Amino acid sequence: GESAADILSCVLQREPDWTRLPSSVPPAVRQLLRLCLEKDPRKRRQSAGDVRIDLDQALSGPSAGAPAPPVRRSRVARLAWIGGSVVVIAALAIPAAMHFLELAPPEIRLQIVTPATQQPLSFALSPDGRYIVFVVSGSTAGDPDRLYLRPLDRTEGTVLPHTEGARLPFWSPDSRSVGFFASERLHRIDIAGGPAQPLAPASNPRGGSWGTDGTILFAPNTVSPLLRVPASGGTAAVAATTLDATRQTSHSQPSFLPDGRRFLFYGASSDPDVSGLYLGSRDGHPPKRLIAATQGAFLAPDTLVLVQQEDLIARRFDPTQGVLSGDPVTLATSVGAFSVSSTGIIAHRAAGGAQLPTNWFDRTGAAQNSLGVWFNGPELSPDGQRLIGDRTIDGNRDVWEVNLARGGLRRMTTDPGIDGYPLWSPDGEQIAFHSNRKGTIDLWITPSNRPGAEQPLLEGPDSEWAIDWSKDGRYLLYQRADLKDRWDLWALPMTGTDRTPFAVASTSSLERLGEFSPDTRWIAYDTNESGRPEIVVQAFPVAKERIAVSTAGGTAPRWSADGRKIYFTAPDAMMMAVPVEPKGSTLMPGRPAPLFPTRITGQTFKHQYAVSSDGRFLINNAAESSAPPITVILNAKPF
């Protein structure tokens, strides 16, 4: 006769063999067993109680009004026994189906509260779904950010040593190592312990991804294509993508697909029909634009998760054809960044922090009046009455001016391209700025009293932006960055017949954020020749030596109006001052002294503070705020 073991041996298989059911099991009961193991959750019986109701109907015989055939008592008893067995089997088969058929359990959302940090978007889930790593600030003022490793099955984690200044972490495919950026370089570190290993320069990084073949893709700055470097180190980074210089300004946010050959990335452009999420390949095939989105990641087996206008959405995606299909499903709103694991876990976070309006401070750090708006790369006019910088309004970045004496804003450029980092001429009659309106980032110039009369000043294949204009009007100091993330300082003659640019500081290290002394005899700038940014001074136009100014790191130097001090910001954003004294053909710096703490960020391309002739500081500070929690979605079911 039949037994529960016979039935269980049939149904508790990944692909049940229904022919093995005992012949005496009625057709209605056979169908009921099939419903218990139905792959479609909408058709599957959800509980043993549902099965009991169906079973009672199956064993009740024909519908009312129809003649019932005679049934022997032994058959009724046997059917009742089979029915009881089916109820028991259903209680086992339904949860077994969840396991054997790999059916998704209910979606669960939870939050991880983290300490405040100026890098709230720096976090990543491990591919195996066991860990999350994120950036935390030090416990005391001035401590650098570090990486914090948290197992998802625990409430506490640990700080990863040797990760000072870390941001934008990403995982190795085996979940044993983390890549990150710090001190203007790409690094890797094993979570089991050991020192961090530097891999390649990355002056202003915009994300990285670690492929299954041991290759790391990364975006070293905001003006270059993606580069690639072996995760084992020892080889210089080479280009992994090619910029269409007439249409794109940079590639960033790389994310490998599981095959380790294809990858997603964001292509930036002033043209909204060109910017967006692209599918690239290491096989040399041209990249394919997928959708207008800023970040994307593949979620096996057929889902693309992406950020589109701050919404986290999911789309059906065929990676072999590079085709999106179906309607988008919104997973979350107001999202600044996200991460996914190979196990299907999704984590996302709102953009934290804010920018305070540009504000005046005295030499003690006491806040004075505010401008009421935020100006990127603020520059005071020679008479101190006006301020220029760039602002982004409705996605369009342009040069703006504010009148400090009587208030009022004026837009200086209106081109749909990116216009930024403006600089006054010494007489205040002209403004130099950079623009990508011709594809590459070039130097442009415009009369300060006649907006709309912009003209190209210096064009070339590399990216250039103005840093300073000598007080005698003879030279424009500018930053030049090539596609391999080599940063140098160059000077462009602005008078005379020979306008040929020449290198001021050009080595294998990064030289940037230079400024002329008031008498144009010296240039102060920062360089990472020692492994971290430090302030140095050299003679101009012919350099004989580099004179060290900072002693414990520093960036973004500014000269006092009398040329007797150099200001700069320390690694902890403390405003510093160094007295300098000319001695014959050299310059003698004194001991750096702290002035007051700031919250200045983003001084990679341009100074985010200015110094008035009377010694006051105009500063862009980041607002103090708690970091928004990281939301973790378990068992996400977008479709």
Side-chain angles (χ1 to χ4, degrees):
E2 307 88 354
S3 70
D6 295 330
I7 300 175
L8 282 171
S9 66
C10 168
V11 301
L12 296 185
Q13 306 291 326
R14 185 175 295 274
E15 296 293 338
D17 183 2
W18 301 110
T19 63
R20 295 178 56 190
L21 280 176
S23 60
S24 57
V25 177
V29 177
R30 290 172 179 265
Q31 176 62 18
L32 183 55
L33 287 171
R34 286 189 174 94
L35 291 174
C36 290
L37 297 175
E38 171 61 51
K39 294 184 178 182
D40 188 340
R42 296 170 297 180
K43 299 178 181 179
R44 187 190 321 119
R45 294 299 178 261
Q46 302 297 314
S47 69
D50 295 339
V51 175
R52 170 62 73 180
I53 295 173
D54 290 342
L55 186 62
D56 288 343
Q57 294 177 352
L59 298 180
S60 63
S63 60
V71 179
R72 291 179 305 192
R73 184 175 182 83
S74 60
R75 178 166 175 77
V76 173
R78 186 162 58 250
L79 289 175
W81 178 88
I82 293 174
S85 298
V86 169
V87 175
V88 175
I89 291 168
L92 297 172
I94 289 173
M98 302 289 285
H99 171 72
F100 285 110
L101 300 180
E102 298 177 350
L103 300 172
E107 180 178 291
I108 299 173
R109 298 192 181 214
L110 54 90
Q111 290 187 332
I112 298 175
V113 179
T114 69
T117 175
Q118 292 187 0
Q119 301 289 339
L121 301 185
S122 293
F123 70 93
L125 286 167
S126 63
D128 62 10
R130 296 179 58 196
Y131 301 96
I132 187 169
V133 63
F134 51 87
V135 172
V136 297
S137 294
S139 57
T140 60
D143 283 351
D145 289 345
R146 291 178 173 86
L147 291 181
Y148 187 85
L149 180 68
R150 156 85 182 271
L152 289 180
D153 60 355
R154 300 180 187 176
T155 59
E156 299 293 335
T158 182
V159 171
L160 289 177
H162 314 297
T163 60
E164 291 80 3
R167 57 175 169 151
L168 301 175
F170 56 95
W171 287 86
S172 62
D174 61 8
S175 301
R176 295 180 179 178
S177 304
V178 175
F180 65 95
F181 300 92
S183 302
E184 300 178 337
R185 297 188 71 85
L186 167 67
H187 297 77
R188 62 166 289 176
I189 189 169
D190 296 335
I191 63 173
Q197 177 185 355
L199 299 177
S203 56
N204 192 23
R206 289 296 184 268
S209 185
W210 197 321
T212 54
D213 67 346
T215 296
I216 291 178
L217 291 182
F218 67 103
N221 56 48
T222 60
V223 295
S224 79
L226 297 179
L227 304 184
R228 73 173 187 267
V229 66
S232 57
T235 303
V238 297
T241 57
T242 301
L243 277 177
D244 183 346
T246 62
R247 291 158 44 102
Q248 295 179 327
T249 56
S250 68
H251 294 161
S252 61
Q253 302 286 0
S255 178
F256 268 114
L257 268 60
D259 62 9
R261 180 174 53 86
R262 290 164 298 172
F263 53 90
L264 304 165
F265 68 93
Y266 173 66
S269 174
S270 58
D271 185 346
D273 294 329
V274 175
S275 65
L277 191 65
Y278 283 76
L279 177 64
S281 173
R282 295 188 58 198
D283 297 339
H285 298 298
K288 176 181 180 180
R289 185 177 184 270
L290 299 176
I291 190 173
T294 56
Q295 183 184 1
F298 182 69
L299 191 64
D302 62 352
T303 301
L304 186 64
V305 182
L306 51 93
V307 175
Q308 190 173 43
Q309 296 181 344
E310 296 189 348
D311 287 343
L312 186 65
I313 66 173
R315 292 285 302 271
R316 293 281 191 190
F317 179 60
D318 180 352
T320 60
Q321 301 296 322
V323 175
L324 294 164
S325 62
D327 294 328
V329 175
T330 300
L331 302 175
T333 58
S334 301
V335 172
F338 77 96
S339 178
V340 303
S341 77
S342 301
T343 61
I345 301 175
I346 301 174
H348 66 85
R349 195 177 209 174
Q355 292 165 332
L356 293 175
T358 304
N359 209 101
W360 282 106
F361 295 84
D362 65 19
R363 283 181 54 86
T364 68
Q368 299 179 330
N369 58 305
S370 170
L371 299 187
V373 293
W374 189 86
F375 267 58
N376 182 38
E379 291 287 346
L380 287 166
S381 61
D383 61 7
Q385 299 299 303
R386 292 173 293 171
L387 180 78
I388 53 174
D390 62 72
R391 305 173 67 217
T392 301
I393 307 296
D394 297 328
N396 193 16
R397 182 177 168 187
D398 286 299
V399 176
W400 287 71
E401 178 195 82
V402 61
N403 190 303
L404 299 176
R406 58 184 180 84
L409 292 170
R410 183 171 63 151
R411 192 172 191 164
M412 306 296 291
T413 62
T414 58
D415 190 88
I418 295 174
D419 297 333
Y421 299 148
L423 193 69
W424 293 101
S425 63
D427 57 11
E429 295 183 359
Q430 293 179 301
I431 295 174
F433 64 97
H434 82 239
S435 178
N436 72 340
R437 60 185 68 188
K438 287 191 174 183
T440 57
I441 297 179
D442 300 318
L443 292 179
W444 288 63
I445 195 166
T446 184
S448 61
N449 62 352
R450 191 156 45 96
E454 305 98 302
Q455 296 291 329
L457 181 61
L458 181 65
E459 299 176 89
D462 298 321
S463 298
E464 298 98 5
W465 58 98
I467 298 295
D468 193 29
W469 203 322
S470 63
K471 299 296 185 290
D472 59 13
R474 296 176 59 194
Y475 299 100
L476 183 72
L477 187 68
Y478 67 93
Q479 189 80 53
R480 190 182 78 169
D482 63 22
L483 298 183
K484 292 186 178 181
D485 203 32
R486 175 173 166 170
W487 291 36
D488 300 318
L489 290 175
W490 286 65
L492 175 67
M494 300 297 291
T495 60
T497 57
D498 186 1
R499 300 294 183 93
T500 305
F502 59 91
V504 174
S506 179
T507 71
S508 58
S509 305
L510 299 181
E511 293 93 9
R512 62 182 189 184
L513 295 178
E515 187 171 84
F516 290 108
S517 61
D519 60 8
T520 318
R521 289 185 58 195
W522 310 94
I523 290 180
Y525 60 93
D526 68 59
T527 174
N528 68 347
E529 185 178 29
S530 66
R532 66 179 178 185
E534 296 279 7
I535 306 300
V536 298
V537 171
Q538 69 180 43
F540 180 82
V542 179
K544 298 180 180 179
E545 61 177 332
R546 286 184 175 184
I547 304 168
V549 172
S550 61
T551 58
T555 190
R558 293 278 202 186
W559 292 82
S560 62
D562 60 6
R564 304 304 296 266
K565 292 186 182 69
I566 295 176
Y567 304 106
F568 66 92
T569 55
D572 61 358
M574 179 70 72
M575 184 64 70
M576 307 289 291
V578 179
V580 290
E581 181 180 353
K583 287 223 173 174
S585 62
T586 188
L587 197 70
M588 302 296 293
R591 182 184 298 275
L595 295 182
F596 56 89
T598 75
R599 296 191 302 277
I600 301 177
T601 62
Q603 294 201 116
T604 300
F605 289 90
K606 193 72 166 61
H607 299 80
Q608 293 300 335
Y609 74 99
V611 184
S612 67
S613 58
D614 59 2
R616 293 177 300 145
F617 296 84
L618 195 60
I619 296 177
N620 287 335
N621 277 328
E624 286 184 316
S625 65
S626 59
I630 299 173
T631 298
V632 179
I633 307 175
L634 305 176
N635 313 319
K637 298 182 294 185
F639 304 109

